[in-house]
Amino acid sequence: MKTIIEPFRIKSVERIRETTREERQRLIAAAGYNLFLVPADAILIDLLTDSGTSAMSTEQWAAMMRGDESYAGSSSFDRFRRSVQDIFGFRHVIPTHQGRAAERILFTVMCKKGDVVPNNTHFDTTRANCEFVGAEALDLPIAEALEPAALHPFKGNMDTARLAETIERLGAKRIPLVMLTVTNNSGGGQPVSMANIRAVKAICAKHGIPLYIDACRFAENSWFIKLREPGYADKTPRAIAQEMFSLADGCTMSAKKDGLANIGGFLCTNDDLLAQQEKDLLILTEGFPTYGGLAGRDLEAIAVGLNEALEEDYLKYRIASTGFLGNHIAAAGVPIVQPPGGHAIYLDARAFLPHIPPAQFPGVALAIELYLAGGIRSVEIGTLMFGEHARMDLVRLAIPRRVYTQSHIEYVVEVILDVWKRRESLRGYDLTYQAPFLRHFTARLQPRAG
Ligand SMILES: *Cc1c(COP(=O)(O)O)cnc(C)c1O
């Protein structure tokens, strides 16, 4: 059959509540026009993030009952480690409470002031953790990545010529590691090809620089390689993932994404000395190395979730659902980052609202109107999130895994098309409060008069 269906049936449901536009107008004003500060029960369709919002399977809930809550040496950790090592293959597996804890430990151990860390595009927490230890977070995406409308099968790729040039110019001593984010979240959820990972690894190896993969969406990246890269059509997503990680020296992972879990993460490395230093730091802030800030039952949910994320029928449905949303609004003229990514559709707010300059946060204006029009929560990835580093103003509609059905997605299409028709009436925003870093989480704004 041609129809792609959700490869699951629903055993437990959660009510979602409709509100009126007037109610939403009041709520968003009270939240300082920051969607992070709106109560979740006043959101109808929550596309703020795909992080930690997955619906767990019966197998995951069953595994949680087996959680061994021993402080040290729990059998849950053994199952977690086996599951991670089977897919990722690294020697050391260090559990953390989420991805950013893995990043903080990695950068604290590997980086110092004045160092430079190249990445295809740093995610916001990756950039912040890198800069927090005094290193420079350098984005080296391919040129196509900065043109939202440009079509490229692997738009998440790193510009290898610029990587080689950067290493020649700065010297390998100032570059403690190179990172690749799969898929490239801040760059539009776009995949990285196996050929690009291999080319980046070859450059790193020549200079003795380790390569780390920011692995949050490794299963979705594997699926895109299977669909789009010559020679991979007959390989399983698992075999493709194993091949990707065989090219790296370690990884950071948020299990809240392709771990299909609500919390958790891990840090992997093949380096014995680094692993020791990382575990020492882990004990200081996260916990003993067999739980790393997680309950035994969390480790169990991740051990099962990593494998479910690699199932072909699941990946087929997920990527098709994201593509349905992107292709339907694009067909009506809505500017999106092309082609549709894995976990999210990114609206190009600068092209959607050309009358609002970046300094007046076009992405914020668009995200707020999607909430007012239909109770949909999205997130700005642009000038509010990255300040002057922002090269695009995007609005991300992230799709939680296994949570929404086709009719929810059709509703989202309808709301976006309604806002698209009225786009010229939208206004920009001014900042009234900002924190010194990661300001988008707590910023407060006000609409501009006019
Ligand atoms: C979510 C994410 C992180 C951080 O993970 P948390 O679990 O949110 O701390 C890092 N990198 C990328 C690409 C991500 O998507």
Side-chain angles (χ1 to χ4, degrees):
M1 296 297 142
K2 284 203 303 290
T3 308
I4 297 171
I5 61 166
E6 287 86 358
F8 49 80
R9 54 185 181 176
I10 296 165
K11 183 171 228 160
S12 180
V13 298
E14 190 177 359
R15 189 167 178 225
I16 51 178
R17 184 170 75 95
E18 293 219 41
T19 48
T20 62
R21 186 174 175 113
E22 291 65 41
E23 262 181 274
R24 294 193 288 272
Q25 186 72 60
R26 224 174 26 248
L27 286 158
I28 191 75
Y33 294 92
N34 184 337
L35 285 162
F36 278 102
L37 306 179
V38 174
D41 69 356
I43 309 282
L44 187 63
I45 306 281
D46 202 346
L47 307 183
L48 176 68
T49 177
D50 63 322
S51 177
T53 52
S54 301
M56 290 211 298
S57 67
T58 49
E59 292 302 320
Q60 284 176 294
W61 284 109
M64 285 179 80
M65 281 306 291
R66 209 167 45 215
D68 174 356
E69 306 302 343
S70 305
Y71 191 94
S74 80
S75 58
S76 293
F77 177 71
D78 288 337
R79 281 186 285 274
F80 166 82
R81 182 172 52 190
R82 262 201 304 280
S83 182
V84 173
Q85 277 179 332
D86 177 56
I87 299 164
F88 294 73
F90 299 114
R91 193 146 62 224
H92 301 279
V93 179
I94 300 171
T96 59
H97 81 275
Q98 57 183 85
R100 69 197 66 186
E103 292 168 352
R104 191 188 60 82
I105 291 169
L106 177 74
F107 292 130
T108 303
V109 167
M110 293 192 80
C111 298
K112 59 182 187 314
K113 200 168 157 44
D115 285 347
V116 176
V117 180
N119 198 326
N120 44 355
T121 308
H122 288 85
F123 182 62
D124 60 349
T125 60
T126 321
R127 168 174 291 281
N129 273 296
C130 184
E131 291 174 350
F132 194 72
V133 299
E136 182 192 337
L138 180 65
D139 291 343
L140 297 176
I142 56 170
E144 288 88 341
L146 300 178
E147 292 166 44
L151 282 166
H152 187 291
F154 291 103
K155 225 174 164 179
N157 283 354
M158 178 178 272
D159 186 333
T160 50
R162 284 180 67 205
L163 175 66
E165 181 275 320
T166 302
I167 300 173
E168 295 294 342
R169 183 164 46 82
L170 298 175
K173 275 210 174 62
R174 280 186 62 195
I175 304 178
L177 73 159
V178 169
M179 292 190 85
L180 271 177
T181 306
V182 302
T183 57
N184 188 356
N185 186 352
S186 306
Q190 301 291 333
V192 179
S193 70
M194 194 72 81
N196 189 250
I197 301 174
R198 190 167 280 117
V200 168
K201 174 63 185 175
I203 294 168
C204 290
K206 189 171 139 205
H207 297 276
I209 301 172
L211 171 64
Y212 276 69
I213 293 182
D214 179 339
C216 298
R217 296 180 184 78
F218 74 97
E220 291 169 9
N221 202 83
S222 300
W223 185 249
F224 280 119
I225 287 175
K226 182 179 169 73
L227 293 184
R228 296 179 185 173
E229 192 158 353
Y232 288 92
D234 295 331
K235 297 208 164 125
T236 61
R238 175 182 300 271
I240 295 170
Q242 288 164 335
E243 185 177 336
M244 285 193 317
F245 294 116
S246 74
L247 296 168
D249 300 278
C251 74
T252 55
M253 173 72 186
S254 170
K256 300 171 73 173
K257 322 289 173 54
D258 277 351
L260 288 169
N262 302 124
I263 195 68
F266 49 88
L267 171 59
C268 293
T269 180
N270 284 332
D271 185 315
D272 297 340
L273 183 64
L274 280 178
Q276 194 52 59
Q277 293 170 344
E278 286 163 357
K279 284 180 197 171
D280 290 345
L281 201 53
L282 187 83
I283 291 172
L284 186 66
T285 57
E286 294 279 303
F288 193 71
T290 60
Y291 74 88
L294 296 169
R297 55 183 172 272
D298 299 326
L299 297 169
E300 297 279 0
I302 297 166
V304 176
L306 290 170
N307 289 300
E308 291 182 350
L310 286 168
E311 284 166 5
E312 297 209 11
D313 56 356
Y314 158 74
L315 283 166
K316 185 173 172 188
Y317 134 79
R318 172 150 180 82
I319 301 302
S321 174
T322 308
F324 177 92
L325 170 57
N327 292 331
H328 272 70
I329 57 176
V334 176
I336 66 166
V337 173
Q338 289 282 9
H343 68 294
I345 292 301
Y346 294 69
L347 307 177
D348 178 355
R350 284 189 198 172
F352 199 114
L353 303 171
H355 58 288
I356 301 180
Q360 295 173 17
F361 308 110
V364 171
L366 180 52
I368 289 173
E369 189 55 33
L370 293 177
Y371 176 66
L372 290 173
I376 296 168
R377 177 154 66 174
S378 54
V379 65
E380 187 249 26
I381 297 194
T383 306
L384 182 63
M385 184 178 278
F386 292 122
E388 84 261 22
H389 297 289
R391 290 191 254 187
M392 298 188 275
D393 276 286
L394 305 177
V395 170
R396 186 185 70 186
L397 303 154
I399 319 291
R401 293 169 180 76
R402 305 190 294 208
V403 171
Y404 294 116
T405 63
Q406 178 66 11
S407 61
H408 291 121
I409 299 294
E410 286 169 13
Y411 171 83
V412 175
V413 169
E414 185 182 345
V415 172
I416 294 169
L417 296 185
D418 171 62
V419 174
W420 174 242
K421 276 195 230 111
R422 301 183 282 107
R423 61 192 179 277
E424 279 161 25
S425 65
L426 272 59
R427 287 174 293 155
Y429 283 79
D430 290 322
L431 261 179
T432 58
Y433 165 76
Q434 59 174 315
F437 46 82
L438 294 175
R439 65 178 181 176
H440 52 289
F441 287 121
T442 52
R444 298 183 86 84
L445 303 102
Q446 65 187 22
R448 291 177 65 89

